[in-house]
Amino acid sequence: MMKVAHIIKSLDTGGVETWLKDLSYITEDKLDFILHNNSASYYEEEVKENSAKITRIPLRLGMLTFSKKLYNYFKKESFDVVHSHVNLASGWMLFIAWLAGVPIRVAHCHNDKRSEYKTHNFSKKLYYFFAKVLVNLFSNKKIAVSKDCAPSMFYSSSKVNILPCGLNLIAKDKKLSRSDLGLQNDDIVLIHVGRFVPQKNHLFLLDLMTLLKSESNFKLLLIGDGKGYAEVEQIISQRNLTNIKLLGVRGDVKEVMKYTADFFLLPSKFEGLGLVAVESQSNNLFTLVSDTVPKDVKISDYLEFLPIDKASTWKEKLLELTASKEHIKAKSLSFDNSKFSIEENYRQLTVIYSESKAL
């Protein structure tokens, strides 16, 4: 058994957070989640029930006070592993872990943000440059969710372990009916799951549903929350998009996918992997994703990559697929998704932690 500290902003709903929550159910390690937020987040009680510890060291304390508290905590707890999930800020966290004598220091890349970094001003680009230097100097274990995203944080991909953040992918037997969500049996139900942030491209989905207003049986379910929620809600009202339902944060996402939806849509501007698209296929949904999503997510013939320059392209594809009933064929799909399971992830993570240490 190892003593492992995971550093992350919060345990609100999201791909990484859900992975950590699922990990807490099966790990034999002693887990400590070091969070930067001030208020309680969605999965905290659940992970505490699995004997994990929650520790808050807020960034709002200021860098000097934050760093001192983090260093003292590392020294006090004598962790075997510090595993950081805060993108390039991981460099500073792992530098402090190195100062405190933590033997295994893991930087985990969950997103390919290179296209986003290019849009920032010189001072931010300078910060990203030095932050990346720190990541590569002070992490002695490097993990990325896909080969495509690894260069976003690491210089040499040959030294990076590729580990998709596998989840408990399959819906429970507890069925959910369309009527529970105010849907009709003959509706063509589209679903998107993701935080309301620019990366997930909700405005593209609103444009798509504006084009689909003339097709009265198309409905879109949006699951998630985030800073952009109010803006999306306002545009839905302005355009009178009655074909969109905002479902907020839910604990039965897999059940909504499996028992009520026909298609899953992921028009992201960028993704580290886009595991939610694997989750949708695992629950027998025909899945459309942007061509910026890593190809690793394609584990069936029922996933297609599309450009996100025009919403009309997605409308035409949906009409084509529904005419040929491809979404119905996907319901009987079976395939091997085992490498994306949380159990396989834990096995590989144990090997990574246990390998001989560098630095």
Side-chain angles (χ1 to χ4, degrees):
M1 179 187 292
M2 287 184 164
K3 193 171 182 181
V4 181
H6 288 278
I7 301 177
I8 192 165
K9 180 181 177 182
S10 75
L11 284 174
D12 279 323
T13 55
V16 184
E17 295 84 351
T18 303
W19 179 67
L20 291 170
K21 179 264 296 181
D22 284 353
L23 193 64
S24 75
Y25 276 93
I26 65 170
T27 185
E28 296 178 2
D29 296 325
K30 187 175 180 182
L31 297 187
D32 192 325
F33 294 105
I34 299 176
L35 308 182
H36 297 333
N37 68 333
N38 252 344
S39 55
S41 44
Y42 191 81
Y43 289 130
E44 287 187 29
E45 290 305 315
E46 194 168 349
V47 301
K48 284 195 284 188
E49 288 173 4
N50 295 330
S51 301
K53 183 180 178 183
I54 301 291
T55 302
R56 278 195 171 76
I57 307 180
L59 283 170
R60 68 172 182 80
L61 296 170
M63 187 53 71
L64 187 61
T65 303
F66 168 82
S67 300
K68 183 178 179 180
K69 283 183 175 290
L70 189 61
Y71 173 83
N72 289 338
Y73 192 68
F74 286 158
K75 291 292 284 186
K76 173 189 170 187
E77 295 295 327
S78 299
F79 291 108
D80 299 300
V81 181
V82 168
H83 190 148
S84 182
H85 305 273
V86 290
N87 203 42
L88 289 176
S90 295
W92 186 253
M93 311 300 161
L94 298 179
F95 166 63
I96 296 171
W98 175 76
L99 288 175
V102 178
I104 303 171
R105 303 175 301 279
V106 185
H108 201 145
C109 180
H110 294 279
N111 249 323
D112 185 353
K113 294 196 171 187
R114 286 172 293 174
S115 60
E116 182 181 288
Y117 295 155
K118 290 177 182 177
T119 66
H120 290 304
N121 59 33
F122 176 76
S123 60
K124 279 198 173 182
K125 287 178 180 176
L126 197 62
Y127 160 76
Y128 295 136
F129 172 80
F130 285 110
K132 190 170 181 177
V133 170
L134 289 179
V135 166
N136 285 271
L137 276 176
F138 293 104
S139 62
N140 54 11
K141 304 290 180 182
K142 299 170 175 62
I143 301 176
V145 295
S146 70
K147 288 182 180 178
D148 288 357
C149 83
S152 181
M153 281 180 66
F154 307 119
Y155 295 131
S156 174
S157 58
S158 63
K159 297 180 180 179
V160 178
N161 297 279
I162 304 303
L163 182 69
C165 283
L167 303 172
N168 181 4
L169 294 163
I170 307 302
K172 298 174 184 175
D173 291 334
K174 182 182 177 183
K175 291 191 176 182
L176 188 71
S177 72
R178 288 190 165 192
S179 60
D180 292 333
L181 300 177
L183 299 166
Q184 304 299 316
N185 286 333
D186 60 350
D187 285 338
I188 302 297
V189 181
L190 318 173
I191 182 173
H192 171 80
V193 181
R195 284 197 180 109
F196 283 68
V197 293
Q199 173 194 349
K200 299 299 182 180
N201 212 5
H202 285 82
L203 298 185
F204 180 91
L205 291 171
L206 300 188
D207 290 342
L208 173 62
M209 296 313 293
T210 300
L211 294 176
L212 284 169
K213 281 180 76 173
S214 59
E215 309 289 336
S216 59
N217 60 332
F218 277 87
K219 302 291 189 298
L220 172 64
L221 308 178
L222 294 179
I223 295 179
D225 201 354
K227 292 181 179 179
Y229 187 95
E231 180 189 7
V232 168
E233 191 173 35
Q234 183 180 30
I235 295 173
I236 289 172
S237 175
Q238 289 172 348
R239 298 187 189 178
N240 193 29
L241 293 175
T242 56
N243 53 2
I244 299 179
K245 290 181 177 290
L246 293 164
L247 300 186
V249 175
R250 299 179 65 99
D252 60 350
V253 172
K254 292 184 285 291
E255 289 70 37
V256 176
M257 285 182 175
K258 189 172 185 68
Y259 300 120
T260 73
D262 295 297
F263 293 93
F264 181 81
L265 309 182
L266 187 68
S268 299
K269 295 178 180 179
F270 58 88
E271 288 284 349
L273 176 63
L275 187 67
V276 68
V278 174
E279 189 174 19
S280 65
Q281 291 170 86
S282 298
N283 287 289
N284 298 98
L285 279 183
F286 200 107
T287 301
L288 299 179
V289 302
S290 61
D291 55 11
T292 59
V293 172
K295 301 302 182 283
D296 309 55
V297 300
K298 186 176 174 67
I299 59 172
S300 75
D301 292 332
Y302 294 96
L303 180 143
E304 291 196 25
F305 297 92
L306 294 174
I308 49 174
D309 53 345
K310 292 188 299 183
S312 58
T313 303
W314 289 56
K315 175 187 175 181
E316 290 163 10
K317 176 56 68 172
L318 284 167
L319 293 176
E320 173 192 322
L321 292 171
T322 51
S324 59
K325 302 192 182 302
E326 292 298 314
H327 57 300
I328 296 173
K329 296 174 187 175
K331 293 296 182 185
S332 60
L333 178 66
S334 63
F335 51 87
D336 181 15
N337 60 14
S338 58
K339 77 172 184 176
F340 295 99
S341 71
I342 189 64
E343 292 81 10
E344 175 60 16
N345 264 211
Y346 176 57
R347 187 192 69 77
Q348 291 186 48
L349 197 59
T350 301
V351 170
I352 293 168
Y353 286 168
S354 301
E355 287 170 344
S356 59
K357 299 181 285 295
L359 284 182

